[in-house]
Amino acid sequence: TGSVPGPCDPEDLLDGVVFGAKYLGSTQLQSEKNPSTNARMAQAQEAVDRIKAPEGESQPMTEVDLFISTQRIKVLSADTQEAMMDHALQMISYIADIGNIVVLMARRKPASRKSADSPASSAEPPKKCWMICHVFFSEDAQIIAQAIGQAFGVTYQQFLHTNGIKATDLKPGEYSDYLGTQELFNGDLVHFSRSENIREVCISKKPGEILGLAIVESGWGSILPTVVVANLLHGGPAERSGELSIGDRIMSVNGTSLVGLPITTCQSIIRDLKNLSIIKLSIVHCPPVTMAIIKRPDAKYQLGFSVEDGIICSLMRGGIAERGGIRVGHRIIEINGQSVVATPHEKIIDILSNAVGEIHLKTMPTSTYRLLTGLDQPVFL
């Protein structure tokens, strides 16, 4: 990697560096899509004003470790090392240091969208988005802010390097201008924003009986990281209810949200319901197969993901594949309408390397695929 000026050794940022800090709190702000730097600074200041305890009152603080890498920024509780927050680097919009305070602003996924049939007035104001602002206190506030800035620089250099583009051939502006013209295709987003796809489901069962469903992770890169129904136990309560299908995302059970939790936690939350006779689930009805659309004008633009035996194993942050809705941990089922389920690895790579224009991929979580094809036995909860 080219050297990127900053307080850290660029190599270290690939693995991640950790800074100690005190977490003061988080707040949400509404923002223009691309505000000026001055507007960003004003937002950072507003976040600090909202979070800081009034003069004379003690400020609640949590000791945390800030983990910064070229992939993600995590906030870990200093004692338990549990992740309190975890943002992919490309979701971070702005970092500010104000004295001993660091403000980290991350984009929130939009929750609601205008319905497709509402006429758009031409004088519509620029779209607003929600920012979540995390506020930290640290003597090293300035160094932390610089380290995050440096992580972005290293990521970009690394991206060019991996894709064999010499930094001199493609000016940073050129790549980001191209990305800027890309519509984010996210079938999920449209899908999740339609209220008719979100339902409350009630399943009744005998106390002591399991629900009778197997779950898998939705895959890194999915708009709502939660668990997916991968299998239903024949004759079990979930199947008898007729309300659940393979592919459905479970948002919450009996009022406990599963969004963003590790799969093992989700499994134990569901297991703990064994003695109840009524279980309420909030689900988003989703097809088991996800569609991704990658727009690639020319083969010189790298797709930005890697495949091993048909499975997507890594994804370039902010690249065209991520914008197209590609997920890590998903298996490619079809490319441009052609099934690649039984296609050898080299052939898949070949098809992808040469594909340009609008590339349509159908994928599904690998674990769902393995259950459906009988390669794995489901663990029913």
Side-chain angles (χ1 to χ4, degrees):
T1 44
S3 72
V4 175
C8 304
D9 180 336
E11 291 301 310
D12 292 343
L13 284 164
L14 301 178
D15 296 326
V17 293
V18 174
F19 291 94
K22 292 184 167 71
Y23 168 64
L24 308 189
S26 301
T27 183
Q28 286 198 87
L29 298 173
Q30 222 182 12
S31 166
E32 301 298 327
K33 267 283 157 58
N34 293 303
S36 66
T37 312
N38 289 349
R40 282 267 194 249
M41 256 334 261
Q43 289 171 340
Q45 188 59 62
E46 184 186 342
V48 173
D49 296 341
R50 286 190 192 181
I51 300 280
K52 284 203 85 165
E55 206 50 53
E57 285 186 27
S58 69
Q59 173 78 46
M61 293 190 183
T62 313
E63 293 276 349
V64 293
D65 286 331
L66 276 174
F67 169 87
I68 298 166
S69 77
T70 51
Q71 313 266 314
R72 33 205 336 107
I73 296 183
K74 293 190 203 178
V75 181
L76 309 165
S77 122
D79 343 329
T80 63
Q81 290 294 297
E82 257 183 277
M84 296 159 57
M85 286 149 232
D86 184 349
H87 294 288
L89 193 65
Q90 84 280 4
M91 292 305 286
I92 304 293
S93 303
Y94 193 67
I95 320 116
D97 54 300
I98 305 170
N100 284 342
I101 300 276
V102 179
V103 183
L104 190 62
M105 292 191 194
R107 288 193 298 282
R108 278 293 308 268
K109 317 287 199 319
S112 62
R113 297 277 288 260
K114 279 227 173 55
S115 61
D117 45 26
S118 69
S121 68
S122 50
E124 221 179 286
K127 295 245 184 334
K128 295 270 197 201
C129 63
W130 282 102
M131 307 292 298
I132 184 152
C133 307
H134 305 303
V135 181
F136 303 93
F137 172 89
S138 167
E139 302 290 337
D140 297 329
Q142 202 178 357
I143 295 176
I144 291 174
Q146 287 168 355
I148 297 173
Q150 192 185 5
F152 278 99
V154 174
T155 305
Y156 183 69
Q157 288 278 355
Q158 197 197 6
F159 164 69
L160 295 177
H161 180 72
T162 335
N163 292 302
I165 305 170
K166 298 192 182 53
T168 47
D169 302 350
L170 191 61
K171 298 177 200 65
E174 217 180 312
Y175 185 71
S176 44
D177 288 350
Y178 171 64
L179 281 182
T181 63
Q182 283 288 76
E183 251 311 282
L184 255 166
F185 171 77
N186 208 317
D188 273 8
L189 202 51
V190 181
H191 191 85
F192 278 101
S193 58
R194 294 199 178 122
S195 52
E196 66 271 23
N197 292 327
I198 298 182
R199 348 182 171 140
E200 295 294 328
V201 169
C202 242
I203 298 178
S204 44
K205 62 182 195 59
K206 298 188 195 76
E209 188 181 18
I210 60 168
L211 255 178
L213 50 88
I215 56 175
V216 300
E217 288 173 292
S218 58
W220 187 87
S222 52
I223 205 84
L224 256 162
T226 181
V227 292
V228 181
V229 176
N231 213 313
L232 296 169
L233 177 64
H234 188 55
E239 191 193 60
R240 292 198 305 264
S241 75
E243 298 271 12
L244 287 179
S245 325
I246 291 178
D248 289 349
R249 307 274 179 93
I250 305 178
M251 313 303 287
S252 69
V253 293
N254 282 4
T256 304
S257 169
L258 303 185
V259 176
L261 299 179
I263 182 108
T264 46
T265 312
C266 297
Q267 287 169 330
S268 55
I269 290 173
I270 296 174
R271 279 200 186 97
D272 288 346
L273 308 170
K274 201 166 169 189
N275 294 325
L276 303 178
S277 55
I278 288 195
I279 311 281
K280 286 198 175 98
L281 302 174
S282 168
I283 63 160
V284 179
H285 185 57
C286 291
V289 173
T290 300
M291 173 65 117
I293 299 178
I294 304 174
K295 294 181 176 148
R296 184 195 205 184
D298 183 301
K300 76 171 180 185
Y301 290 102
Q302 295 300 322
L303 285 169
F305 66 93
S306 57
V307 177
E308 200 50 71
D309 297 329
I311 296 165
I312 296 152
C313 48
S314 69
L315 182 60
M316 162 61 202
R317 309 285 176 261
I320 53 180
E322 192 189 44
R323 284 178 172 255
I326 285 289
R327 315 259 185 284
V328 172
H330 271 223
R331 189 178 206 297
I332 303 175
I333 305 293
E334 260 182 30
I335 303 172
N336 288 339
Q338 173 191 353
S339 167
V340 292
V341 165
T343 307
H345 175 73
E346 287 68 29
K347 180 90 172 90
I348 293 182
I349 298 300
D350 192 49
I351 298 172
L352 288 172
S353 311
N354 298 311
V356 288
E358 202 171 87
I359 310 163
H360 290 237
L361 285 105
K362 284 187 178 167
T363 70
M364 70 160 46
T366 302
S367 17
T368 305
Y369 173 81
R370 292 184 62 86
L371 289 172
L372 294 179
T373 50
L375 293 168
D376 284 347
Q377 287 309 304
V379 176
F380 289 111
L381 305 170

